[in-house]
């Protein structure tokens, strides 16, 4: 859905800059996908993006926010569900049925902040073309005129600023199924239908320009692409939007899904596009489940548990990235209970261990190496990931205790002073060294998940 290593056109190179320190220190962002698709809240939970064969993906799309596309694939299970549950009614009926009467932006952002997240990004327009503010040119097909009858972007922005977090906006520049009226996407080929003409380029331009004027976001998070007619220089060029964005917010951050134009950070999604995870700023985005939008069909077998979310987060941070973890709000505006449980667990774990995560840097593998164990944690080898804070090496250890609760981690050089092993609260941990192996006697975790062991590094 995005290309690896695009070439930046010359007229966009002037925007190249170092990734702002606030972003690399933040480590965690919270994403929200919310729209009329939250009314049916239906998709087949078939698995994570990047693990499913592409020709199968779109007909059985696990992304509930793609419902408008999936129900237009005539023989798809979603199309049958639309006929059975809603009599084959048009998608736009869901706009008027969307009533977020229970949405409390302040309460929700309190939950977001409790996780330790440094930034928050809601969808402002997804591929269905419905805007969550009264965007220009939408002719009332937005949440101010219909359905919620609220400026949801404005409410999110105020609550985010009041919580002391950075605010970003997601905007689907590459797809708008209502504006373009193209055939449904059935295959993830290079040429799948997206609007590329000057009319759509102007329409999308005016939306993003309005978002900049109204909400002055810290993050511009595009998706899929940008209309080709809006890439070269001209009155409705993406170049003009970047110029305005950085003039307004010099330490702003843009992702890499604005077509072959400009980016500050690279992005991967679930297991897709992992080749961009490396040097430089990068971010992995994913839902707590297989979908970004709320999906009634998802249960505990499809969602990250709290401990699994912690492992996912720590693994990404240990490799130099950020995690953008998505919440799919219900149509009523509430966090689904299982998603709330995961967020609250992540918050509790970060409250104990966050000093070794937020603001950390990667630890050179020559000092101490991560284990090959995956997040599933199966096998005899413990799961180990490392970060560095100043002159402290932080090991996050899970699983494979031996007799007496002893865990042995390997690849630990002499630069790590094993005698200084301690828990997050400073409690000493019994530890011995044999070559490059450190054996530790671990107590039960204060909060279920990897246990943090801190070591001094030799000067």
């Amino acid at each position: 859905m995005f290309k690896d290593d695009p070439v930046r056109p010359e007229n966009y190179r002037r925007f190249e800059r170092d990734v702002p320190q606030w972003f690399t220190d933040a480590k965690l962002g919270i994403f929200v996908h919310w729209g009329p698709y939250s009314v049916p809240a239906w998709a087949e939970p078939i698995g994570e993006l990047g693990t499913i064969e592409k020709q199968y993906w779109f007909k059985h799309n696990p992304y509930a926010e793609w419902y408008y596309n999936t129900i237009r694939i005539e023989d798809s299970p979603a199309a049958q569900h639309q006929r059975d549950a809603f009599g084959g009614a048009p998608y736009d009926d869901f706009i008027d049925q969307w009533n977020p009467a229970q949405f409390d932006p302040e309460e929700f952002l309190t939950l977001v902040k409790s996780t330790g997240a440094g930034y928050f990004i809601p969808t402002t327009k997804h591929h269905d073309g419905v805007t969550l503010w009264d965007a220009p040119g939408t002719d009332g097909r937005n949440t101010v005129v219909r359905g919620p009858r609220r400026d949801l972007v404005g409410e999110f922005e105020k609550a985010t600023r009041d919580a002391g977090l950075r605010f970003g906006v997601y905007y689907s520049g590459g797809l708008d199924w209502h504006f373009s009226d193209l055939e449904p996407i059935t295959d993830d080929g290079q040429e799948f239908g997206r609007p590329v003409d000057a009319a759509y380029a102007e329409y999308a331009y005016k939306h993003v320009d309005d978002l900049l004027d109204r909400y002055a976001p810290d993050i511009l998070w595009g998706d899929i692409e940008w209309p080709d007619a809006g890439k070269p220089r001209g009155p409705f060029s993406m170049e003009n939007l970047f110029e305005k964005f950085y003039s307004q917010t010099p330490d702003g951050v843009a992702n890499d899904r604005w077509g072959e134009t400009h980016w500050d950070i690279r992005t991967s999604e679930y297991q897709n596009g992992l080749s961009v995870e490396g040097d430089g700023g990068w971010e992995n985005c994913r839902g707590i489940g297989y979908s970004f939008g709320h999906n009634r069909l998802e249960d505990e077998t499809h969602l990250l548990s709290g401990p699994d979310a912690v492992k996912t987060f720590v693994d990404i941070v240990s490799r130099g990235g950020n995690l953008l973890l998505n919440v799919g709000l219900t149509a009523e505006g509430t966090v689904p209970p299982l998603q709330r449980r995961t967020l609250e667990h992540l918050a509790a774990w970060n409250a104990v261990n966050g000093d070794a995560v937020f603001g950390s840097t990667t630890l050179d593998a020559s000092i101490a190496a991560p284990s090959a164990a995956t997040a599933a944690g199966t096998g005899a080898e413990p799961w180990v990931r490392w970060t560095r804070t100043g002159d402290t090496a932080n090991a996050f250890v899970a699983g494979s205790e031996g007799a007496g609760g002893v865990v042995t981690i390997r690849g630990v050089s002499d630069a790590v002073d094993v005698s200084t092993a301690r828990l997050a609260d400073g409690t000493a941990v019994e530890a011995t060294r044999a070559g490059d192996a450190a054996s530790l006697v671990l107590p039960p975790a204060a909060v279920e998940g990897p246990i943090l062991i801190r070591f001094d590094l030799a000067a």
Side-chain angles (χ1 to χ4, degrees):
M1 293 186 183
F2 49 86
K3 299 176 183 178
D4 290 347
D5 301 320
V7 176
R8 303 183 200 224
E10 187 170 348
N11 57 315
Y12 287 91
R13 291 178 188 167
R14 62 193 173 100
F15 300 119
E16 293 183 22
R17 64 203 61 223
D18 292 335
V19 179
Q21 194 64 45
W22 72 261
F23 183 85
T24 55
D25 285 347
K27 307 303 182 189
L28 178 64
I30 299 296
F31 212 4
V32 158
H33 278 59
W34 200 24
Y37 46 80
S38 304
V39 176
W42 196 96
E44 297 177 75
I46 59 173
E48 295 188 2
L49 180 67
T51 68
I52 307 296
E53 196 269 328
K54 290 179 179 180
Q55 276 61 47
Y56 186 81
W57 174 268
F58 286 101
K59 185 175 178 180
H60 303 274
N61 202 321
Y63 285 179
E65 68 277 12
W66 275 67
Y67 191 70
Y68 187 10
N69 187 78
T70 316
I71 62 175
R72 292 187 297 139
I73 301 173
E74 188 173 348
D75 59 344
S76 70
Q80 186 62 50
H81 173 74
Q82 182 69 3
R83 291 189 288 269
D84 293 344
F86 302 104
Y91 178 86
D92 274 24
D93 283 7
F94 297 129
I95 304 174
D96 301 307
Q97 294 166 21
W98 180 15
N99 178 20
Q102 299 178 51
F103 177 53
D104 182 339
E106 289 75 22
E107 187 276 334
F108 176 59
L109 263 295
T110 296
L111 174 63
V112 169
K113 185 174 184 177
S114 73
T115 66
Y119 55 99
F120 170 71
I121 305 173
T123 50
T124 67
K125 186 202 82 167
H126 205 263
H127 312 327
D128 62 4
V130 177
T131 63
L132 277 64
W133 87 107
D134 55 335
T138 52
D139 295 327
R141 195 172 181 269
N142 61 64
T143 62
V144 176
V145 175
R146 295 176 63 177
R149 298 187 182 276
R150 297 165 68 169
D151 176 3
L152 297 174
V153 179
E155 293 184 38
F156 276 132
E157 188 268 341
K158 183 179 185 303
T160 302
R161 305 288 190 201
D162 288 348
L165 305 182
R166 296 276 189 157
F167 180 69
V169 292
Y170 165 107
Y171 183 84
S172 173
L175 294 176
D176 190 313
W177 296 317
H178 178 77
F179 184 94
S180 57
D181 196 28
L182 294 171
E183 291 298 310
I185 297 169
T186 59
D187 178 67
D188 189 23
Q190 294 252 340
E191 301 302 323
F192 73 70
R194 61 180 181 88
V196 299
D197 58 284
Y200 179 60
E202 179 178 348
Y203 180 77
Y205 176 96
K206 289 179 177 178
H207 283 188
V208 176
D209 187 57
D210 196 50
L211 288 170
L212 294 176
D213 283 340
R214 294 191 190 214
Y215 310 113
D218 301 291
I219 302 169
L220 272 183
W221 215 99
D223 202 11
I224 301 294
E225 250 277 12
W226 189 253
D228 294 354
K231 295 174 185 176
R233 286 198 165 118
F236 303 109
S237 171
M238 191 68 215
E239 181 183 3
N240 299 341
L241 294 174
F242 283 131
E243 184 168 24
K244 182 171 183 174
F245 174 56
Y246 292 117
S247 176
Q248 185 173 277
T249 309
D251 63 349
V253 173
N255 76 336
D256 59 348
R257 303 191 189 185
W258 302 98
E260 294 180 2
T261 57
H262 161 74
W263 65 91
D264 295 308
I265 61 166
R266 306 307 309 271
T267 58
S268 55
E269 185 168 321
Y270 288 93
Q271 305 304 314
N272 194 47
L274 302 185
S275 64
V276 305
E277 299 179 358
D279 294 336
W282 61 272
E283 175 187 76
N284 176 265
C285 69
R286 61 157 297 145
I288 294 174
Y290 298 150
S291 176
F292 286 91
H294 174 48
N295 183 7
R296 301 178 199 273
L297 271 59
E298 289 187 336
D299 59 30
E300 289 188 76
T301 65
H302 309 119
L303 273 69
L304 288 174
S305 67
D308 286 341
V310 170
K311 277 188 168 182
T312 298
F313 176 44
V314 170
D315 174 68
I316 289 169
V317 171
S318 74
R319 294 185 287 113
N322 285 19
L323 170 64
L324 183 58
L325 184 63
N326 182 81
V327 178
L329 292 177
T330 68
E332 295 74 26
T334 61
V335 179
L338 290 176
Q339 294 191 37
R340 180 177 288 273
R341 186 174 72 179
T342 296
L343 293 173
E344 289 177 343
H345 189 98
L346 183 60
W349 189 90
N350 279 333
V352 174
N353 303 291
D355 285 348
V357 181
F358 301 109
S360 67
T361 59
T362 58
L363 183 69
D364 193 290
S366 66
I367 297 175
S371 69
T374 65
T378 57
E381 185 180 26
W383 184 94
V384 183
R385 299 293 184 270
W386 295 86
T387 66
R388 178 171 184 160
T389 48
D391 293 327
T392 301
N394 309 296
F396 302 90
V397 185
S400 300
E401 287 83 0
V406 176
V407 171
T408 299
I409 57 178
R410 304 187 183 280
V412 182
S413 76
D414 290 340
V416 177
D417 187 348
V418 170
S419 69
T420 63
R422 57 196 182 275
L423 300 176
D425 64 2
T427 301
V429 171
E430 183 180 341
T432 57
R433 174 190 286 280
D436 73 345
S439 295
L440 313 169
V441 180
L442 298 185
V447 179
E448 187 180 356
I451 296 175
L452 168 61
I453 308 296
R454 311 191 80 172
F455 303 91
D456 290 345
L457 289 169

